[in-house]
Amino acid sequence: MHKDEYKGEEVVQRIIGLLGICVCLLFSPAFAVDFGSLISPGDLSSYHKELDGMANCTKCHAVGGGIQNETCNSCHKDIGAAQLVKKGLHGAVASQRCVECHSDHKGRSYSMVEWDPKTFDHGKTGYKLAGKHAKTDCAKCHKTKTKLGFYSYSGLATACKSCHEDIHKGTLKDACETCHNTNTWRGKDVTFDHNKVYKLDGKHTDVKCQKCHPAKGMFQVAEKEKCITCHKKDDKHKGQLGAACEKCHQAAGWKDILFDHSTTKYGLQGKHTKVACEKCHHEKGKGVFKVAKYDTCDAPGCHDKGKFGNVHETQFLGVACAKCHTVEGFKPSLFKHESPDYLGFKLKGKHAQVECGKCHRPLAVTKMALFKPMASSTCDVAGCHDIKARGNIHGVQFKGQKCESCHIEEGWKPTLFKHGAEAYKGYKLEGKHAQVECQKCHRADPATQVVLFKPIDAASCSGAFCHDVKERGNIHGAQFKDRKCNDCHTVQGWKPSAFDHNADSYKGYKLEGKHAQAKCQKCHLPAGDGTVAYRPIDTKSCASALCHKDPHARQFADKECDQCHTPKAWKELTFNHVTQARFPLEGKHVSTQCEKCHIGKVWKPLKEDCLACHAKDDDKAHKGKMGAKCEQCHTAQTWEPKSFFHEVTGFALEGAHTQITCNKCHKTKGVFTGQGPECVKCHTDAHQNQFGPATCADCHTAKNWFPERFRHSQTGFRLEGGHRAAKCESCHVGRAYRSVTQDCYTCHAAQYAAPAAAIYHTSGNKSCLDCHKVYSWTPAVFTHATMTFSGAHAAIKTTCAKCHNSTTPLTLKWPGATAESQCATCHYPATYNTKHTNCPTDCALCHNTSAWSPIATGVDSTVAGSCN
Amino acid sequence: MKKLIASLIAASLASVPAYAVDLHGRVSEAVFYLTDDATVQNYNFTRTRLALEATNFDGEDNTFRFDGSYRTKSSYDYNTRTPDTRIDVMNVEMLKAFTDTDVTIGRQYIESLVGARVDGALLNLHLDAAKGAGFFGGTAPDPYNDDLTSAFTTYGAYGYWKEKDGGVTAGYATSLYKGKEDLAYLFGSAYLTPDDELSMYGSVRLDHNITAQNGYDITNLLLTANYRWGWEARVNLTLNQYRGLWMQESMDYNVTHEMQRSARVYADYSLSRSSKVYGQFDYRTRDSDDKSASLYGIGYRDSELWGALFYNVGYRGINYFTSKSWQVYVSGGAQPRDDLTAELGVSYLNNTQDKPENSMTQMVYTASANWLVSKSLYFNGVVEYSTEKFLSVDSVYLAKYKDEYKSTAIWANLDYRF
């Protein structure tokens, strides 16, 4: 048998065994006591406790098995009804079995309905809670309770009225949600469109609802299209004009009247169109627009005297107003004095410009102006130029004389009277007097206001009303009481006076410079009473005499003005800023305006550092980077740094550098920084960069380009002897100043190979110092190794050519004798053969270095004799 | 070309009345005279320089410049290789000869390319205010005696970019001797001034080394930086390495092809508006020596003592490989007016060559003056008198002539500007 097949058979056998054991236990005596409890899965909940017991099983459990919904709904009828119409939560789950959610047999305390009101999705009921509904307590709507005393959450309709009271009392037919939503019940969330019912425009848009709908919630208005429905109390016409308010009024504004007066029998024109209605329709009680009597202008209520002051009273009774007046304006009237039709007084000149009422004055009692012809034969007729009514200034002075003897219609002034006329023998008006108004002298009597044009006292200027102190303010008061005015003044002009401050006769203060041009009262100031004392004033101090205000605010209270100022000109100072100031002015400072530094005319000493005045200049030019020591670069002579103190840059200008222009090195215009001290920035390096640009100053100075600082001894090769005057290029060929070897031959190769010297250098010895000395190249001093220069030889020791030359056959070429004993090397053979035919070749036998001849004493005679 | 010819004419005939021209210039004559009782030889030469600038030649907006410097010796010189006369520069320049190109013809230093000289032409092209390039070519002055010769030829080019705060120059030059490369090198320099306090400069020269399989040797390298704290203090750091120029084809004498290096620091500090202390230290090494050299110095100077006086005192110590020296110096003078400066100086130097007993002392007295006689006339001159005492029995050359030598050197220059 297959192993798996055996295993399956064993499982089946075990299950059958277990079932057998279960059947035995089920029917054993031990379980026979309470069989019902043995088959019940558990106690029913407290809600179903009446259904406990074996006898009640079938009340819920069908015999065929299971619990049918109909069984549950037989008790829970509301649920059943809802499921039947598929409404509410249970209606939505009608296809499900009740026990799927509401199981039982789980004990008495088991709650068959498991739900949390806070998390319950009300949308499952078919009515989703939104807005304020979502926040509303359930019991606000679900108020009904079950017979067990629990709130019943079913059966509630979704209509608003189910929960909300209808404050409209059924007057509104539309559903609530037509106007309301779940956010708020009122206010902005009310979406009612009034215009669909009654268009609100103009002032209506701002009117509160209660104005027209005073009863709460009652919005239906009968005859809403009629204004009077709401505006009945506003009808000031008391129903006189009917209910069609809209004929005259509009929603834009009650007072924006639409009434067209031209529709009446009296159309308004001219000024009438601007007159307020009540001006004519002035019956008691506003809004009463009875028809005014328009046949005549002076109808009661319009231009009649009683109401509107018809100035004519009954003067023109029977004459239509329109005869003289038009609706364009009551004035001017159509009446023309100058009309040819009018035969009365013609208005000419100034008369034509005078208002009618000036002459046709209202009567004192009736206030009525009589436009009747006046007595024009005299000007001073009452109401025109008479003294009482119009102020005839002459009073009765010219009584009997006609006004026109002096005055004309073209103008009351000037008169025809001429002071200067020949016929007039009185005071002649000259100079300024001729320009003065008459009343300047012919003054009105204060009491009567009458002006007497009688001759006045001309003997004294101040005698009459002219220049007397009291009446005309004689500014001298009584100072010149005993003097005549014309001692100083003339009729040509009161000012200047004829008084001459500088006259020799006057011993007081002389006026000089600007003082001579100043007005007298600049110094002779008026006193409190207006009088001016032209007495000598204190001239010791300009300020104390009150002539000059101290513009320095007493900065120089301890100094006299004339220390700085002169009468010549206030601004031409005598103050010497060079000698008197702590900061002497130099250069451009001398011509600079004082206020440039003394801002606000504060003349006190300023800080002496340049930035006190030149801060802006510094900011513009250096942006403060150069520090405050401006004087290091600039002078008062010029702001341009021509005397720039170059030392401050770390590179002092010396020698030739002091005499070149800035742009020789600072080649970019206006840029004076960043140049650096390296000589190569300005100078071409003739040494081909051998020393580097930074070290030029080790040898050169700015005094000149001559390498003044250079000391050859510092290089390890001191210059001695002839080297000291040698031209640098002699050794530093090709301007190679470094890396030249120090052996003589390098520089003296040419001399070494020169033909004249070649004879000496045939040995090839290049140790020059063996023969030459640096302090004297020639003569060379060769130290002969074996040759001694004794006697006469000493004299030729340095004359090498005596022995070493190539022209004389007798002389040996280099090398020559190496010892003095080798006489023949040099002294042979020129004379030897002729004189020494029998002589031995050893010269020293006869000669010595002291003298070649005569031969030395003591020489063997035989030898000497044979020498001959 | 027409303008170029005109420039030559302008330079030489500028004073001819037929040509309307604004002419300014400078002529100077300098004399150097040296006599030394150590030798009968004197060393004298004169130098004449003429610089002209002619503008608005013939009524046109143009500028011509002439620069010439001529030197002649008037004394014996035992070195026959040094010429009796020498022309340092002699050239004519025309600005904007071709639109934005300046042309210079004649003997000249190529300023943008350190070490280059030419007897020929230079075209300096201004690309804009900051950038430009130059091309030059011609024969080269004999490097040994400045003769005008066809044996040496040279050509090269360079470019530059120079702004206020920084700039770069780079170029190449070569010199041929009888058709064979004598010298060829690349040169570059740069400067940077990021602000008013800091400035940096560097240059490098790479010479072609024929024997180094066409490689390039650094002949000269310079890096220097300056920093200042306000106007009160300044420090300079410089690194430099150098080897002798080797004209590989023409040179008939030896130069040591060794590298020498130098590190130098200099600093000064202003104690007041006009006075400062300063010091420097220079450390040097060279390939051929296992020793090192150190040069140091300190000093104090005041440029405005009592308004018109100035003075400078200092000490220098030099341990230069095979010799040791120390020196004290003091100089002072007066500048009573802006146009006149006079100065006197004295220094004492003690030198021991290779051993202490070979010591030598030197006293040097100098007098100099700079005088702007008038707006046009300027004079400056130096007189130097020195005495040297050799305290050892034998000098460094194992020979002795005198114990004390005296020498006098005079340099005088008169400059006339118009």
Side-chain angles (χ1 to χ4, degrees):
Chain A
M1 182 178 287
H2 192 274
K3 192 176 179 180
D4 291 339
E5 291 176 358
Y6 173 76
K7 207 169 182 178
E9 186 179 340
E10 186 181 46
V11 171
V12 173
Q13 287 175 353
R14 288 185 179 183
I15 292 171
I16 294 171
L18 283 171
L19 289 173
I21 292 170
C22 290
V23 171
C24 291
L25 286 171
L26 189 62
F27 292 99
S28 70
F31 292 92
V33 178
D34 188 1
F35 185 76
S37 64
L38 290 177
I39 61 172
S40 175
D43 289 340
L44 291 170
S45 69
S46 59
Y47 313 119
H48 291 162
K49 62 185 178 183
E50 293 84 2
L51 299 175
D52 264 346
M54 288 287 287
N56 294 324
C57 295
T58 56
K59 288 185 176 177
C60 297
H61 297 280
V63 178
I67 299 173
Q68 301 300 319
N69 285 0
E70 289 77 9
T71 308
C72 298
N73 291 341
S74 64
C75 294
H76 300 284
K77 295 185 186 319
D78 53 341
I79 302 297
Q83 287 188 333
L84 196 61
V85 297
K86 299 196 182 301
K87 284 190 175 179
L89 175 64
H90 291 100
V93 295
S95 59
Q96 288 181 242
R97 294 176 62 197
C98 300
V99 295
E100 289 180 28
C101 297
H102 306 289
S103 60
D104 206 341
H105 290 290
K106 293 182 179 177
R108 283 284 189 271
S109 60
Y110 177 66
S111 175
M112 294 180 67
V113 180
E114 293 292 340
W115 77 300
D116 182 356
K118 295 179 180 175
T119 59
F120 178 67
D121 180 7
H122 209 287
K124 291 179 179 177
T125 69
Y127 185 77
K128 190 173 183 179
L129 298 184
K132 280 210 170 181
H133 284 166
K135 300 172 185 175
T136 304
D137 187 45
C138 304
K140 280 272 191 181
C141 293
H142 297 288
K143 294 175 180 174
T144 58
K145 293 186 176 179
T146 63
K147 59 185 178 182
L148 293 176
F150 298 105
Y151 282 108
S152 171
Y153 293 100
S154 61
L156 190 62
T158 59
C160 303
K161 294 174 182 175
S162 302
C163 300
H164 297 282
E165 181 190 359
D166 180 13
I167 64 170
H168 309 305
K169 308 299 182 186
T171 57
L172 301 182
K173 296 176 182 176
D174 293 333
C176 302
E177 53 269 29
T178 303
C179 301
H180 304 284
N181 60 38
T182 57
N183 292 330
T184 56
W185 191 249
R186 61 187 68 178
K188 63 182 181 181
D189 287 318
V190 176
T191 56
F192 172 66
D193 184 2
H194 206 291
N195 292 335
K196 290 182 178 176
V197 181
Y198 179 82
K199 187 176 182 181
L200 296 181
D201 56 359
K203 295 274 184 176
H204 285 159
T205 57
D206 299 331
V207 174
K208 289 185 177 179
C209 304
Q210 290 81 5
K211 278 278 190 181
C212 295
H213 308 288
K216 186 178 181 182
M218 306 305 287
F219 295 111
Q220 283 289 5
V221 177
E223 295 185 315
K224 55 183 176 292
E225 67 280 359
K226 295 183 178 178
C227 305
I228 200 69
T229 302
C230 295
H231 291 285
K232 190 169 186 178
K233 61 181 179 182
D234 301 321
D235 181 15
K236 294 183 177 178
H237 314 306
K238 310 299 183 188
Q240 178 196 1
L241 303 181
C245 307
E246 64 277 11
K247 285 187 176 178
C248 297
H249 300 285
Q250 54 183 330
W254 189 254
K255 293 183 178 177
D256 294 338
I257 307 298
L258 296 174
F259 179 70
D260 183 5
H261 214 287
S262 63
T263 60
T264 68
K265 294 180 179 176
Y266 187 78
L268 298 183
Q269 295 176 333
K271 290 221 173 179
H272 283 163
T273 60
K274 297 173 184 175
V275 173
C277 305
E278 291 79 6
K279 278 281 187 181
C280 294
H281 301 284
H282 56 89
E283 285 80 0
K284 287 182 179 178
K286 292 182 177 178
V288 178
F289 296 96
K290 284 183 178 178
V291 178
K293 187 179 181 181
Y294 55 87
D295 293 341
T296 62
C297 303
D298 55 352
C302 292
H303 299 284
D304 62 310
K305 183 197 174 219
K307 297 298 177 185
F308 298 97
N310 184 331
V311 295
H312 310 309
E313 287 285 347
T314 57
Q315 182 184 357
F316 299 109
L317 197 65
V319 179
C321 300
K323 186 91 173 178
C324 296
H325 304 287
T326 69
V327 294
E328 298 303 325
F330 211 71
K331 298 175 184 176
S333 76
L334 297 176
F335 177 77
K336 301 296 180 187
H337 262 275
E338 63 274 22
S339 170
D341 299 334
Y342 183 63
L343 302 177
F345 186 71
K346 304 290 185 184
L347 298 183
K348 297 177 183 174
K350 290 270 180 138
H351 282 161
Q353 302 167 18
V354 173
E355 288 185 12
C356 307
K358 279 277 187 181
C359 292
H360 299 285
R361 305 193 70 203
L363 297 176
V365 179
T366 63
K367 303 297 182 187
M368 185 186 75
L370 293 176
F371 287 89
K372 289 180 177 176
M374 305 174 70
S376 57
S377 56
T378 62
C379 303
D380 56 351
V381 67
C384 294
H385 302 285
D386 62 310
I387 180 172
K388 288 183 181 176
R390 315 304 295 265
N392 183 330
I393 58 174
H394 308 310
V396 295
Q397 183 185 358
F398 300 111
K399 191 176 181 181
Q401 290 189 40
K402 288 188 176 182
C403 300
E404 54 268 34
S405 62
C406 290
H407 303 286
I408 58 174
E409 288 178 311
E410 299 306 322
W412 193 254
K413 302 170 185 175
T415 71
L416 298 176
F417 175 76
K418 299 297 179 188
H419 260 277
E422 287 186 11
Y424 183 65
K425 305 300 180 187
Y427 186 75
K428 304 291 186 185
L429 296 185
E430 298 172 348
K432 290 270 180 148
H433 282 166
Q435 303 166 18
V436 172
E437 288 185 12
C438 305
Q439 292 183 37
K440 279 280 185 180
C441 293
H442 298 286
R443 304 194 69 206
D445 185 307
T448 64
Q449 290 301 310
V450 171
V451 180
L452 296 177
F453 284 89
K454 290 179 179 177
I456 57 179
D457 180 11
S460 167
C461 303
S462 59
F465 299 122
C466 300
H467 302 286
D468 64 309
V469 58
K470 289 181 182 176
E471 299 300 330
R472 314 303 296 267
N474 183 327
I475 57 175
H476 308 310
Q479 183 185 357
F480 302 113
K481 188 177 179 183
D482 301 328
R483 301 280 296 276
K484 290 185 177 179
C485 298
N486 54 15
D487 285 352
C488 296
H489 304 285
T490 68
V491 294
Q492 299 306 323
W494 192 254
K495 302 169 185 175
S497 77
F499 176 74
D500 184 3
H501 253 278
N502 298 328
D504 293 337
S505 57
Y506 183 65
K507 304 300 180 188
Y509 187 73
K510 305 291 185 185
L511 297 184
E512 300 172 358
K514 291 274 182 173
H515 283 166
Q517 303 166 20
K519 290 183 178 178
C520 305
Q521 291 186 27
K522 278 280 187 180
C523 294
H524 297 285
L525 300 175
D529 61 357
T531 61
V532 180
Y534 283 91
R535 290 172 178 164
I537 56 180
D538 179 11
T539 55
K540 288 181 181 177
S541 168
C542 308
S544 62
L546 301 177
C547 299
H548 296 282
K549 289 181 180 177
D550 179 10
H552 312 312
R554 297 191 59 75
Q555 291 178 66
F556 307 108
D558 57 338
K559 293 182 170 56
E560 295 299 335
C561 302
D562 57 5
Q563 283 186 260
C564 301
H565 303 283
T566 69
K568 189 177 179 184
W570 187 255
K571 291 184 178 179
E572 287 186 18
L573 303 179
T574 57
F575 173 70
N576 191 329
H577 216 297
V578 176
T579 58
Q580 294 176 252
R582 196 172 65 195
F583 183 78
L585 296 185
E586 303 174 87
K588 294 266 179 147
H589 286 160
V590 174
S591 57
T592 301
Q593 283 187 334
C594 308
E595 291 85 352
K596 281 273 187 180
C597 294
H598 295 283
I599 295 167
K601 297 187 177 179
V602 176
W603 307 111
K604 282 186 173 179
L606 303 169
K607 284 184 178 179
E608 292 178 34
D609 63 288
C610 306
L611 289 184
C613 297
H614 293 285
K616 285 184 179 176
D617 301 318
D618 175 65
D619 186 54
K620 186 178 178 182
H622 309 310
K623 304 195 183 307
K625 289 185 175 181
M626 296 289 193
K629 298 176 181 177
C630 308
E631 67 277 8
Q632 289 184 338
C633 305
H634 304 281
T635 68
Q637 308 304 324
T638 173
W639 190 250
E640 292 295 321
K642 287 182 178 174
S643 60
F644 178 62
F645 191 66
H646 218 284
E647 178 74 41
V648 298
T649 68
F651 184 78
L653 295 186
E654 298 174 323
H657 285 160
T658 63
Q659 304 303 334
I660 60 174
T661 54
C662 305
N663 62 6
K664 277 284 182 184
C665 295
H666 302 286
K667 293 182 178 175
T668 304
K669 189 177 182 182
V671 178
F672 295 98
T673 56
Q675 183 67 11
E678 294 84 12
C679 305
V680 74
K681 289 279 184 71
C682 302
H683 293 279
T684 300
D685 182 10
H687 312 311
Q688 306 200 61
N689 220 22
Q690 294 177 63
F691 305 107
T695 52
C696 301
D698 285 352
C699 302
H700 301 283
T701 70
K703 297 187 188 77
N704 50 59
W705 203 239
F706 172 62
E708 180 186 332
R709 284 182 181 156
F710 177 70
R711 304 291 169 222
H712 214 287
S713 56
Q714 296 170 354
T715 68
F717 188 83
R718 288 196 308 225
L719 296 183
E720 298 182 35
H723 288 152
R724 295 166 57 81
K727 194 177 179 183
C728 304
E729 295 95 307
S730 297
C731 297
H732 298 287
V733 180
R735 294 175 180 168
Y737 293 98
R738 286 171 74 171
S739 301
V740 175
T741 56
Q742 296 184 7
D743 65 281
C744 306
Y745 181 77
T746 297
C747 299
H748 295 283
Q751 289 98 323
Y752 183 87
I759 188 173
Y760 308 118
H761 300 140
T762 53
S763 68
N765 178 23
K766 294 182 179 177
S767 300
C768 304
L769 292 177
D770 287 349
C771 302
H772 301 281
K773 295 185 185 303
V774 292
Y775 53 79
S776 176
W777 188 255
T778 56
V781 181
F782 177 71
T783 303
H784 293 72
T786 55
M787 182 70 183
T788 57
F789 292 87
S790 60
H793 283 160
I796 62 167
K797 183 179 180 180
T798 59
T799 311
C800 305
K802 268 288 185 183
C803 297
H804 306 289
N805 67 69
S806 58
T807 56
T808 305
L810 293 179
T811 305
L812 296 178
K813 291 182 180 179
W814 183 276
T818 56
E820 286 188 295
S821 59
Q822 297 175 309
C823 305
T825 305
C826 300
H827 298 282
Y828 180 86
T831 59
Y832 181 83
N833 289 335
T834 56
K835 293 185 176 180
H836 301 83
T837 51
N838 297 315
C839 290
T841 57
D842 184 3
C843 302
L845 289 175
C846 298
H847 305 283
N848 58 43
T849 58
S850 298
W852 188 253
S853 63
I855 59 174
T857 56
V859 176
D860 189 334
S861 59
T862 57
V863 175
S866 63
C867 293
N868 296 326
Chain B
M1 186 55 70
K2 182 182 176 183
K3 288 184 176 180
L4 202 58
I5 294 170
S7 71
L8 294 169
I9 297 170
S12 56
L13 301 175
S15 59
V16 176
Y19 293 89
V21 63
D22 294 333
L23 185 65
H24 298 279
R26 168 187 171 191
V27 58
S28 62
E29 186 71 20
V31 176
F32 179 74
Y33 172 80
L34 171 68
T35 181
D36 194 313
D37 66 358
T39 175
V40 295
Q41 300 163 8
N42 293 329
Y43 176 29
N44 309 322
F45 70 84
T46 59
R47 190 196 67 186
T48 303
R49 185 173 183 202
L50 174 65
L52 296 172
E53 181 175 275
T55 55
N56 302 322
F57 178 71
D58 208 16
E60 293 187 21
D61 181 17
N62 47 31
T63 300
F64 306 103
R65 290 174 182 158
F66 172 80
D67 193 6
S69 179
Y70 174 78
R71 183 186 294 201
T72 178
K73 67 178 183 181
S74 57
S75 59
Y76 167 79
D77 190 336
Y78 53 77
N79 190 330
T80 55
R81 292 201 292 196
T82 57
D84 290 339
T85 59
R86 190 173 94 185
I87 295 174
D88 291 323
V89 291
M90 186 76 74
N91 59 70
V92 174
E93 178 183 13
M94 180 180 181
L95 302 184
K96 295 185 179 178
F98 307 109
T99 315
D100 292 323
T101 304
D102 303 337
V103 177
T104 309
I105 293 177
R107 173 166 294 189
Q108 59 193 291
Y109 287 95
I110 308 300
E111 289 190 13
S112 297
L113 198 55
V114 173
R117 291 181 79 193
V118 65
D119 287 325
L122 165 69
L123 302 179
N124 193 14
L125 173 64
H126 301 280
L127 299 176
D128 58 32
K131 296 188 286 291
F135 308 92
F136 64 92
T139 62
D142 188 313
Y144 306 101
N145 57 24
D146 283 350
D147 275 354
L148 181 64
T149 175
S150 60
F152 291 91
T153 54
T154 185
Y155 60 86
Y158 61 85
Y160 64 85
W161 170 69
K162 294 177 181 177
E163 296 281 2
K164 176 189 171 188
D165 299 330
V168 178
T169 301
Y172 171 81
T174 185
S175 177
L176 308 175
Y177 177 60
K178 295 182 178 175
K180 294 183 179 178
E181 181 182 300
D182 195 33
L183 204 63
Y185 65 95
L186 295 163
F187 179 82
S189 68
Y191 65 93
L192 183 66
T193 53
D195 52 43
D196 289 346
E197 285 73 32
L198 178 64
S199 67
M200 292 177 280
Y201 175 82
S203 69
V204 62
R205 172 173 169 159
L206 301 163
D207 272 71
H208 184 211
N209 186 343
I210 297 172
T211 61
Q213 297 181 339
N214 290 328
Y216 278 84
D217 291 339
I218 294 178
T219 304
N220 182 254
L221 174 68
L222 173 79
L223 299 171
T224 182
N226 292 283
Y227 188 82
R228 62 176 170 82
W229 289 265
W231 300 116
E232 280 74 31
R234 180 168 73 90
V235 64
N236 170 267
L237 298 173
T238 300
L239 297 175
N240 179 222
Q241 67 178 46
Y242 168 78
R243 73 170 89 240
L245 294 181
W246 181 24
M247 289 167 278
Q248 297 164 103
E249 187 63 27
S250 65
M251 195 171 268
D252 63 352
Y253 60 94
N254 297 325
V255 293
T256 56
H257 196 58
E258 63 177 6
M259 182 65 80
Q260 301 185 28
R261 300 171 192 83
S262 167
R264 178 174 179 267
V265 57
Y266 168 89
D268 61 46
Y269 179 77
S270 295
L271 301 174
S272 70
R273 174 178 178 267
S274 62
S275 65
K276 70 166 63 171
V277 291
Y278 60 89
Q280 73 174 76
F281 180 77
D282 192 343
Y283 179 79
R284 298 180 185 180
T285 61
R286 59 188 181 190
D287 290 343
S288 62
D289 214 319
D290 54 1
K291 295 178 181 177
S292 62
S294 59
L295 300 85
Y296 59 95
I298 56 172
Y300 173 81
R301 61 181 300 143
D302 192 324
S303 301
E304 200 176 63
L305 178 67
W306 301 322
L309 303 182
F310 58 89
Y311 66 94
N312 184 22
V313 296
Y315 170 86
R316 297 179 76 195
I318 300 170
N319 182 357
Y320 198 81
F321 299 108
T322 59
S323 70
K324 290 182 180 178
S325 307
W326 59 270
Q327 180 188 28
V328 292
Y329 56 90
V330 58
S331 63
Q335 189 173 12
R337 305 192 309 259
D338 284 346
D339 54 9
L340 178 62
T341 307
E343 183 176 357
L344 296 174
V346 59
S347 71
Y348 171 82
L349 178 127
N350 182 294
N351 170 254
T352 56
Q353 191 62 26
D354 52 353
K355 47 190 176 180
E357 56 268 31
N358 275 340
S359 63
M360 177 271 282
T361 63
Q362 181 187 46
M363 288 293 293
V364 180
Y365 307 89
T366 58
S368 63
N370 289 270
W371 184 20
L372 188 64
V373 182
S374 69
K375 190 176 180 181
S376 302
L377 196 61
Y378 170 62
F379 168 80
N380 69 323
V382 178
V383 177
E384 179 183 289
Y385 173 74
S386 74
T387 63
E388 287 185 8
K389 286 185 179 178
F390 289 83
L391 305 180
S392 59
V393 175
D394 292 320
S395 76
V396 63
Y397 305 110
L398 302 177
K400 184 174 176 66
Y401 175 55
K402 292 170 67 175
D403 287 334
E404 184 172 359
Y405 297 102
K406 296 184 177 65
S407 70
T408 303
I410 298 172
W411 166 274
N413 179 68
L414 195 62
D415 204 7
Y416 179 74
R417 302 172 193 182
F418 53 93

